[in-house]
Amino acid sequence: MSLSMNERAATLVDAMAADADGLGVEVRTLDSGARLVDCGAQARGGTRAGVGFAAACMGGLGRIDPVPVVVGDRTWPGVGVTVDAPAAACLAAQYAGWKLEDGDFFAMASGPGRALARAEDLFEELSWREQASRAVLCLETRQDPPGSVVAKVAERCGVEASAVTFLIAPTASICGSVQISARVVETALHKLHELGVDPARIRNGWGCCPIAPVAKSDPAAIGRTNDAVLYGGTVHLWIEGGDDDVAELAGRLPSSASDAFGTPFGELLEAADWNFYDVDPMLFSPAAVTLTSTESGRAHYGGALAPEVLERSFAQ
């Protein structure tokens, strides 16, 4: 399957750059020649910048809309995500799977540029091939990528450095909160992949998630933004399979399937000395899931929202 996700994303970023003042973003050209769109590091950023960041991150194959999200007795600002090519948009583009580092610079890259680079083992399992003359990557960071990293990205993606665009935003920013909540469907697909499900079985996806209040620091924001998904996120996926198989997956997919469920993510990370790999990987999933079998049309449910945990996290 051939998708021009980078061309779609680059067009979206062109529109953001044309409305930079209105979106509160800053656009500049790095010494390496790459374009950088700051959505919240030094720039003001905001909700609309976060929506644009997330749409580009999904390679232009998902729709992200600001929506109210009710969790318990509270209504939070949130995002709704709709995607009709979830394996491509969520795993080949949005998933943060490419490690970029040099000296004191480190960032996990997401976005459709990953589908050009194919630098991760995941792409051995994904069937599509991406062709594009421009590459777009999204970084959760406050730092500009150094020239050495830009050169690595350009070479791996098969484009000139001047054809690479980076969008950046730190976790503790409005854009950071928005774009992480917009990963609610991607988080479900990644969990299903960890459970051994072929991503091609997922036909369509929808999700909604509250937007975490911006925390005082990036480490604190990592906890809050993850909790927004783990305890406030809802997804509905249409999946190929019979009812018995789909019902079993609905029970294993939500975050409540993990023994770590119920503890704010920041507390789990602190107990693990900030090592993500020491946190149960089965926790990383939305709180409430609905899986509809495309064979029978029946819906199967799993998990539930956890408003008390979300309150505890957002109040810290």
Side-chain angles (χ1 to χ4, degrees):
M1 185 176 184
S2 178
L3 300 172
S4 298
M5 293 189 293
N6 282 278
E7 298 294 350
R8 291 169 179 263
T11 299
L12 291 174
V13 179
D14 291 345
M16 292 177 67
D19 190 26
D21 290 343
L23 295 175
V25 304
E26 296 178 4
V27 183
R28 60 182 182 274
T29 301
L30 302 178
D31 291 342
S32 58
R35 176 172 64 171
L36 185 131
V37 182
D38 179 350
C39 297
Q42 302 300 321
R44 171 175 55 84
T47 302
R48 291 175 60 218
V51 168
F53 186 113
C57 195
M58 297 184 77
L61 293 179
R63 174 165 176 153
I64 298 97
D65 295 294
V67 297
V69 175
V70 178
V71 183
D73 295 331
R74 291 194 185 275
T75 301
W76 297 98
V79 289
V81 181
T82 306
V83 57
D84 294 326
C90 296
L91 295 184
Q94 192 179 23
Y95 174 60
W98 189 11
K99 184 187 297 184
L100 299 178
E101 56 185 334
D102 183 68
D104 62 355
F105 178 85
F106 174 85
M108 295 299 295
S110 55
R114 294 175 46 249
L116 279 176
R118 300 182 69 86
E120 307 151 46
D121 292 342
L122 172 63
F123 284 93
E124 297 301 320
E125 303 176 47
L126 303 179
S127 59
W128 38 82
R129 294 293 185 273
E130 174 82 355
Q131 293 184 343
S133 60
R134 297 192 282 177
V136 177
L137 286 175
C138 302
L139 308 179
E140 192 176 327
T141 181
R142 293 182 181 275
Q143 296 177 266
D144 293 357
S148 57
V149 168
V150 176
K152 173 184 176 180
V153 167
E155 179 180 8
R156 189 80 198 209
C157 292
V159 300
E160 297 295 324
S162 59
V164 177
T165 292
F166 294 97
L167 293 91
I168 68 167
T171 316
S173 67
I174 297 175
C175 177
S177 288
V178 171
Q179 68 93 6
I180 292 171
S181 291
R183 296 175 183 272
V184 63
V185 177
E186 176 253 296
T187 307
L189 258 75
H190 186 256
K191 172 78 171 284
L192 285 172
H193 179 259
E194 291 294 305
L195 293 174
V197 176
D198 182 353
R201 289 177 56 190
I202 316 302
R203 294 277 192 87
N204 310 89
W206 173 90
C208 65
C209 185
I211 297 170
V214 178
K216 291 183 178 180
S217 67
D218 289 326
I222 290 172
R224 280 189 179 181
T225 53
N226 275 276
D227 288 335
V229 176
L230 302 179
Y231 300 113
T234 299
V235 296
H236 191 143
L237 305 177
W238 287 259
I239 181 172
E240 295 176 356
D243 284 316
D244 290 345
D245 177 38
V246 173
E248 192 235 352
L249 287 173
R252 298 175 66 194
L253 177 57
S255 52
S256 58
S258 167
D259 290 339
F261 181 85
T263 302
F265 188 70
E267 295 180 19
L268 293 172
L269 268 182
E270 187 174 1
D273 198 24
W274 294 91
N275 186 345
F276 275 83
Y277 298 103
D278 285 344
V279 178
D280 181 8
M282 293 297 100
L283 178 66
F284 295 97
S285 191
V289 305
T290 300
L291 302 183
T292 294
S293 164
T294 59
E295 293 183 10
S296 70
R298 294 190 181 94
H300 304 273
Y301 310 97
L305 302 181
E308 69 288 347
V309 186
L310 205 64
E311 291 273 354
R312 179 176 163 191
S313 171
F314 286 4
Q316 290 180 345

